[in-house]
mmCIF file of all heavy atoms in Angstrom:
data_model
loop_
_atom_site.group_PDB
_atom_site.id
_atom_site.type_symbol
_atom_site.label_atom_id
_atom_site.label_comp_id
_atom_site.label_asym_id
_atom_site.label_seq_id
_atom_site.Cartn_x
_atom_site.Cartn_y
_atom_site.Cartn_z
ATOM 1 N N ASP V 146 1.558 -15.860 9.190
ATOM 2 C CA ASP V 146 1.197 -16.208 10.560
ATOM 3 C C ASP V 146 2.232 -15.765 11.593
ATOM 4 O O ASP V 146 2.042 -15.975 12.788
ATOM 5 C CB ASP V 146 0.923 -17.711 10.684
ATOM 6 C CG ASP V 146 1.989 -18.572 10.014
ATOM 7 O OD1 ASP V 146 3.094 -18.054 9.722
ATOM 8 O OD2 ASP V 146 1.723 -19.755 9.777
ATOM 9 N N THR V 147 3.312 -15.126 11.149
ATOM 10 C CA THR V 147 4.262 -14.526 12.098
ATOM 11 C C THR V 147 3.981 -13.042 12.315
ATOM 12 O O THR V 147 4.624 -12.417 13.170
ATOM 13 C CB THR V 147 5.716 -14.648 11.591
ATOM 14 O OG1 THR V 147 5.941 -13.715 10.510
ATOM 15 C CG2 THR V 147 6.026 -16.052 11.117
ATOM 16 N N SER V 148 3.087 -12.466 11.557
ATOM 17 C CA SER V 148 2.920 -11.015 11.567
ATOM 18 C C SER V 148 2.282 -10.527 12.860
ATOM 19 O O SER V 148 1.460 -11.202 13.472
ATOM 20 C CB SER V 148 2.108 -10.566 10.348
ATOM 21 O OG SER V 148 0.851 -11.213 10.291
ATOM 22 N N ARG V 149 2.685 -9.304 13.258
ATOM 23 C CA ARG V 149 2.186 -8.670 14.475
ATOM 24 C C ARG V 149 1.915 -7.202 14.166
ATOM 25 O O ARG V 149 2.664 -6.577 13.412
ATOM 26 C CB ARG V 149 3.192 -8.813 15.623
ATOM 27 C CG ARG V 149 3.594 -10.243 15.884
ATOM 28 C CD ARG V 149 4.570 -10.393 17.032
ATOM 29 N NE ARG V 149 5.796 -9.621 16.899
ATOM 30 C CZ ARG V 149 6.814 -9.937 16.116
ATOM 31 N NH1 ARG V 149 6.745 -11.013 15.330
ATOM 32 N NH2 ARG V 149 7.899 -9.211 16.078
ATOM 33 N N TYR V 150 0.892 -6.660 14.819
ATOM 34 C CA TYR V 150 0.388 -5.341 14.445
ATOM 35 C C TYR V 150 0.144 -4.496 15.687
ATOM 36 O O TYR V 150 -0.334 -4.997 16.716
ATOM 37 C CB TYR V 150 -0.925 -5.480 13.660
ATOM 38 C CG TYR V 150 -0.814 -6.423 12.480
ATOM 39 C CD1 TYR V 150 -0.965 -7.800 12.646
ATOM 40 C CD2 TYR V 150 -0.543 -5.952 11.209
ATOM 41 C CE1 TYR V 150 -0.846 -8.669 11.574
ATOM 42 C CE2 TYR V 150 -0.430 -6.813 10.123
ATOM 43 C CZ TYR V 150 -0.577 -8.170 10.317
ATOM 44 O OH TYR V 150 -0.457 -9.042 9.258
ATOM 45 N N SER V 151 0.447 -3.195 15.591
ATOM 46 C CA SER V 151 0.164 -2.311 16.720
ATOM 47 C C SER V 151 0.139 -0.854 16.286
ATOM 48 O O SER V 151 0.995 -0.415 15.509
ATOM 49 C CB SER V 151 1.222 -2.468 17.817
ATOM 50 O OG SER V 151 0.984 -1.576 18.885
ATOM 51 N N GLU V 152 -0.846 -0.129 16.813
ATOM 52 C CA GLU V 152 -0.819 1.338 16.774
ATOM 53 C C GLU V 152 -0.049 1.769 18.024
ATOM 54 O O GLU V 152 -0.609 2.240 19.006
ATOM 55 C CB GLU V 152 -2.242 1.893 16.768
ATOM 56 C CG GLU V 152 -3.045 1.573 15.526
ATOM 57 C CD GLU V 152 -2.618 2.390 14.317
ATOM 58 O OE1 GLU V 152 -1.688 3.222 14.443
ATOM 59 O OE2 GLU V 152 -3.216 2.197 13.242
ATOM 60 N N ILE V 153 1.241 1.651 17.943
ATOM 61 C CA ILE V 153 2.107 1.683 19.124
ATOM 62 C C ILE V 153 2.381 3.099 19.649
ATOM 63 O O ILE V 153 3.079 3.290 20.634
ATOM 64 C CB ILE V 153 3.433 0.957 18.794
ATOM 65 C CG1 ILE V 153 4.109 0.438 20.067
ATOM 66 C CG2 ILE V 153 4.353 1.880 17.972
ATOM 67 C CD1 ILE V 153 5.204 -0.576 19.784
ATOM 68 N N PHE V 154 1.812 4.104 19.009
ATOM 69 C CA PHE V 154 2.154 5.501 19.283
ATOM 70 C C PHE V 154 2.058 5.868 20.765
ATOM 71 O O PHE V 154 2.935 6.544 21.298
ATOM 72 C CB PHE V 154 1.230 6.416 18.470
ATOM 73 C CG PHE V 154 1.372 6.263 16.986
ATOM 74 C CD1 PHE V 154 0.511 5.433 16.280
ATOM 75 C CD2 PHE V 154 2.362 6.933 16.288
ATOM 76 C CE1 PHE V 154 0.637 5.275 14.911
ATOM 77 C CE2 PHE V 154 2.497 6.794 14.924
ATOM 78 C CZ PHE V 154 1.642 5.954 14.228
ATOM 79 N N ALA V 155 0.975 5.461 21.445
ATOM 80 C CA ALA V 155 0.785 5.869 22.845
ATOM 81 C C ALA V 155 1.925 5.399 23.736
ATOM 82 O O ALA V 155 2.269 6.059 24.727
ATOM 83 C CB ALA V 155 -0.555 5.347 23.369
ATOM 84 N N ARG V 156 2.546 4.284 23.407
ATOM 85 C CA ARG V 156 3.689 3.807 24.196
ATOM 86 C C ARG V 156 4.887 4.738 24.062
ATOM 87 O O ARG V 156 5.811 4.688 24.874
ATOM 88 C CB ARG V 156 4.091 2.402 23.753
ATOM 89 C CG ARG V 156 3.055 1.334 24.025
ATOM 90 C CD ARG V 156 3.678 -0.038 23.846
ATOM 91 N NE ARG V 156 2.701 -1.113 23.920
ATOM 92 C CZ ARG V 156 3.006 -2.395 23.925
ATOM 93 N NH1 ARG V 156 4.283 -2.774 23.851
ATOM 94 N NH2 ARG V 156 2.055 -3.313 23.992
ATOM 95 N N ARG V 157 4.901 5.530 23.007
ATOM 96 C CA ARG V 157 5.998 6.468 22.765
ATOM 97 C C ARG V 157 5.602 7.897 23.126
ATOM 98 O O ARG V 157 6.307 8.847 22.789
ATOM 99 C CB ARG V 157 6.415 6.419 21.283
ATOM 100 C CG ARG V 157 6.707 5.024 20.757
ATOM 101 C CD ARG V 157 7.987 4.456 21.326
ATOM 102 N NE ARG V 157 8.275 3.149 20.745
ATOM 103 C CZ ARG V 157 8.066 1.994 21.362
ATOM 104 N NH1 ARG V 157 7.574 1.983 22.603
ATOM 105 N NH2 ARG V 157 8.351 0.845 20.772
ATOM 106 N N GLY V 158 4.439 8.055 23.768
ATOM 107 C CA GLY V 158 3.981 9.398 24.117
ATOM 108 C C GLY V 158 3.480 10.184 22.930
ATOM 109 O O GLY V 158 3.507 11.426 22.940
ATOM 110 N N LEU V 159 2.994 9.490 21.917
ATOM 111 C CA LEU V 159 2.571 10.124 20.668
ATOM 112 C C LEU V 159 1.127 9.775 20.353
ATOM 113 O O LEU V 159 0.562 8.813 20.865
ATOM 114 C CB LEU V 159 3.470 9.662 19.514
ATOM 115 C CG LEU V 159 4.960 10.002 19.635
ATOM 116 C CD1 LEU V 159 5.765 9.249 18.580
ATOM 117 C CD2 LEU V 159 5.174 11.510 19.501
ATOM 118 N N SER V 160 0.530 10.558 19.458
ATOM 119 C CA SER V 160 -0.790 10.251 18.917
ATOM 120 C C SER V 160 -0.621 9.670 17.519
ATOM 121 O O SER V 160 0.484 9.611 16.973
ATOM 122 C CB SER V 160 -1.666 11.509 18.891
ATOM 123 O OG SER V 160 -1.003 12.568 18.236
ATOM 124 N N LEU V 161 -1.728 9.238 16.932
ATOM 125 C CA LEU V 161 -1.689 8.557 15.630
ATOM 126 C C LEU V 161 -1.174 9.471 14.527
ATOM 127 O O LEU V 161 -1.416 10.683 14.541
ATOM 128 C CB LEU V 161 -3.085 8.067 15.248
ATOM 129 C CG LEU V 161 -3.764 7.087 16.201
ATOM 130 C CD1 LEU V 161 -5.186 6.811 15.737
ATOM 131 C CD2 LEU V 161 -2.978 5.790 16.280
ATOM 132 N N ASP V 162 -0.484 8.884 13.554
ATOM 133 C CA ASP V 162 -0.140 9.620 12.340
ATOM 134 C C ASP V 162 -0.163 8.670 11.146
ATOM 135 O O ASP V 162 -0.628 7.534 11.242
ATOM 136 C CB ASP V 162 1.197 10.366 12.479
ATOM 137 C CG ASP V 162 2.422 9.471 12.618
ATOM 138 O OD1 ASP V 162 2.366 8.289 12.230
ATOM 139 O OD2 ASP V 162 3.463 9.957 13.124
ATOM 140 N N PHE V 163 0.294 9.144 10.005
ATOM 141 C CA PHE V 163 0.228 8.454 8.714
ATOM 142 C C PHE V 163 -1.196 7.939 8.435
ATOM 143 O O PHE V 163 -1.402 6.823 7.969
ATOM 144 C CB PHE V 163 1.237 7.306 8.604
ATOM 145 C CG PHE V 163 1.671 7.049 7.178
ATOM 146 C CD1 PHE V 163 2.796 7.657 6.659
ATOM 147 C CD2 PHE V 163 0.934 6.223 6.350
ATOM 148 C CE1 PHE V 163 3.183 7.447 5.338
ATOM 149 C CE2 PHE V 163 1.303 5.999 5.026
ATOM 150 C CZ PHE V 163 2.437 6.618 4.525
ATOM 151 N N GLY V 164 -2.169 8.788 8.755
ATOM 152 C CA GLY V 164 -3.549 8.480 8.394
ATOM 153 C C GLY V 164 -4.252 7.512 9.314
ATOM 154 O O GLY V 164 -5.391 7.104 9.025
ATOM 155 N N GLY V 165 -3.632 7.132 10.436
ATOM 156 C CA GLY V 165 -4.228 6.128 11.300
ATOM 157 C C GLY V 165 -5.597 6.515 11.826
ATOM 158 O O GLY V 165 -6.486 5.668 11.958
ATOM 159 N N SER V 166 -5.793 7.801 12.149
ATOM 160 C CA SER V 166 -7.077 8.228 12.700
ATOM 161 C C SER V 166 -8.200 8.110 11.674
ATOM 162 O O SER V 166 -9.374 7.984 12.037
ATOM 163 C CB SER V 166 -6.986 9.672 13.208
ATOM 164 O OG SER V 166 -6.684 10.571 12.142
ATOM 165 N N PHE V 167 -7.860 8.131 10.405
ATOM 166 C CA PHE V 167 -8.840 7.986 9.321
ATOM 167 C C PHE V 167 -9.002 6.528 8.911
ATOM 168 O O PHE V 167 -10.118 6.025 8.744
ATOM 169 C CB PHE V 167 -8.382 8.817 8.121
ATOM 170 C CG PHE V 167 -9.312 8.791 6.939
ATOM 171 C CD1 PHE V 167 -10.331 9.715 6.814
ATOM 172 C CD2 PHE V 167 -9.145 7.845 5.931
ATOM 173 C CE1 PHE V 167 -11.184 9.695 5.714
ATOM 174 C CE2 PHE V 167 -9.988 7.812 4.840
ATOM 175 C CZ PHE V 167 -11.015 8.747 4.727
#
Side-chain angles (χ1 to χ4, degrees):
D146 47 16
T147 74
S148 57
R149 306 181 304 283
Y150 307 84
S151 178
E152 294 286 0
I153 204 165
F154 297 96
R156 294 193 188 187
R157 308 289 183 257
L159 299 169
S160 52
L161 301 175
D162 66 21
F163 208 93
S166 62
F167 181 90

